[in-house]
Amino acid sequence: TMQSSGHRFRDVEHHPLLAENDSYDSSSSEADMAERVWFIRDGCGMVCAIMTWLLVVYADFVVTFVMLLPSKDFWYSVINGVLFNCLAVLALSSHLRTMLTDPGAVPKGNATKEYMDNLQLKPGEVIYKCPKCCSIKPERAHHCSICKRCIRKMDHHCPWVNNCVGEKNQRFFVLFTMYIALISAHALILCGFQFFSCVRGQWTECSDFSPPVTVILMIFLCLEGFLFLTFTAVMFGTQIHSICNDETEIERLKSEKPTWERRLRWEGMKSVFGGQPSLLWINPFAGFRIRRLLLRAKKGGPEFAV
């Protein structure tokens, strides 16, 4: 524990607030950071993110070209095709917004005397500093070793979205798991109908592909759908449970006793999804502005974490 400006600065390690080669620009506030595009340059995460997109594209290909287009029932093909593709677009949009949204990163190297003086802390008040990214650690923030940042209300780091799930992007992650679970269930139902139809028709005019190819494509889709449905449904339920209990996964695993006043269940949902219940809750495009994104990219460039 070190004394500084009338308050205590508590750290895990005892070293200077900033290393000699580090610098912190006090003018780069959190508002300035919000003007930057967020992206984590992690090899494993980028591979997992690309795999996620390829698996969704594969499912869409099998559903559209193997099962729906060859069907003789026009309205069956149209309705299921529109529904599946809309859910796929919503799932991938939610994935993009989870990946490219700042999860609530604390500015690096803000543990300076000038910054602490601006906090107007009471004498004797304890402040926690992260020894890894040299930032003042807000309550309920945790350091991510992959993002190299402290993240507010960090739930976990998910390689499938190549980002942390935290205070600012948890809503999009919940939507991503929900829409992936829905398209997985839809694909499994369509596979069931298709197998029944093919067996009943003795595999004649069942698909534009040969029977062996059709069977192989549908078996892979069934395996993919079952695995993703199980994983995302469990994750979706876990996220909703955490939001209702106002507790992150890290806090639950560490059995941390809450030092904050927990929100009521409905208040927690409104805090994450924003405002009163509406269709905006399930809309991953809500609040998205292409013009603002272009201005951010032009102004600050991408915010890379390595």
Side-chain angles (χ1 to χ4, degrees):
T1 304
M2 298 183 292
Q3 298 290 335
S4 177
S5 301
H7 62 270
R8 289 182 293 167
F9 206 125
R10 181 170 294 176
D11 196 346
V12 178
E13 300 176 7
H14 299 286
H15 56 69
L17 296 183
L18 290 173
E20 293 181 2
N21 295 329
D22 293 336
S23 62
Y24 175 71
D25 182 6
S26 59
S27 63
S28 61
S29 62
E30 294 183 27
D32 296 327
M33 291 183 60
E35 292 298 320
R36 299 193 177 194
V37 179
W38 178 268
F39 181 75
I40 302 301
R41 195 165 53 189
D42 173 60
C44 176
M46 288 188 285
V47 170
C48 289
I50 292 172
M51 284 180 59
T52 301
W53 276 67
L54 291 178
L55 288 169
V56 173
V57 170
Y58 170 78
D60 189 65
F61 169 79
V62 176
V63 167
T64 303
F65 293 97
V66 178
M67 293 190 284
L68 296 182
L69 286 182
S71 175
K72 295 180 180 179
D73 190 332
F74 175 77
W75 289 112
Y76 171 83
S77 299
V78 170
I79 293 173
N80 282 287
V82 170
L83 178 60
F84 188 89
N85 281 278
C86 285
L87 290 175
V89 169
L90 290 170
L92 294 178
S93 300
S94 301
H95 181 273
L96 270 181
R97 295 211 69 182
T98 307
M99 182 170 62
L100 301 179
T101 299
D102 178 355
V106 179
K108 277 185 178 180
N110 66 352
T112 62
K113 183 178 182 300
E114 179 186 0
Y115 185 83
M116 288 184 289
D117 290 340
N118 292 334
L119 294 177
Q120 297 180 346
L121 299 166
K122 298 177 182 178
E125 187 172 349
V126 177
I127 298 177
Y128 294 91
K129 178 173 76 74
C130 176
K132 298 176 182 178
C133 59
C134 211
S135 63
I136 294 178
K137 208 170 186 178
E139 187 178 40
R140 305 185 70 182
H142 293 273
H143 185 86
C144 175
S145 58
I146 299 176
C147 295
K148 310 294 185 185
R149 303 288 280 273
C150 282
I151 308 295
R152 290 187 178 87
K153 289 184 67 177
M154 175 181 169
D155 188 85
H156 67 287
H157 184 94
C158 178
W160 294 104
V161 297
N162 190 33
N163 201 1
C164 274
V165 177
E167 185 177 66
K168 295 183 179 179
N169 68 345
Q170 187 176 24
R171 168 176 169 258
F172 303 122
F173 181 75
V174 172
L175 293 182
F176 167 67
T177 58
M178 182 183 74
Y179 286 124
I180 290 292
L182 288 176
I183 64 172
S184 298
H186 192 193
L188 289 173
I189 293 171
L190 291 176
C191 281
F193 279 114
Q194 187 71 9
F195 271 119
F196 178 77
S197 175
C198 290
V199 171
R200 187 178 59 180
Q202 297 182 348
W203 298 93
T204 58
E205 299 182 1
C206 171
S207 172
D208 293 337
F209 296 86
S210 64
V213 174
T214 301
V215 171
I216 291 173
L217 291 173
M218 291 175 61
I219 287 176
F220 274 113
L221 179 60
C222 286
L223 291 174
E224 176 192 342
F226 177 76
L227 290 174
F228 270 78
L229 174 61
T230 303
F231 174 76
T232 54
V234 170
M235 184 60 70
F236 174 78
T238 302
Q239 288 292 303
I240 295 297
H241 181 267
S242 297
I243 292 171
C244 290
N245 288 342
D246 195 14
E247 181 182 49
T248 66
E249 188 65 17
I250 290 180
E251 292 164 350
R252 186 186 68 81
L253 291 175
K254 290 185 175 181
S255 299
E256 294 184 3
K257 295 182 179 180
T259 56
W260 62 93
E261 184 178 352
R262 285 187 171 179
R263 296 187 178 95
L264 299 175
R265 291 185 177 183
W266 201 241
E267 291 300 320
M269 292 290 289
K270 289 194 291 185
S271 172
V272 171
F273 289 92
Q276 295 297 325
S278 69
L279 290 177
L280 293 177
W281 277 25
I282 59 174
N283 179 14
F285 300 102
F288 179 72
R289 298 290 184 273
I290 295 179
R291 183 180 178 184
R292 184 188 303 172
L293 181 64
L294 293 175
L295 288 174
R296 287 180 181 179
K298 184 177 180 181
K299 178 179 178 181
E303 172 71 16
F304 283 122
V306 293

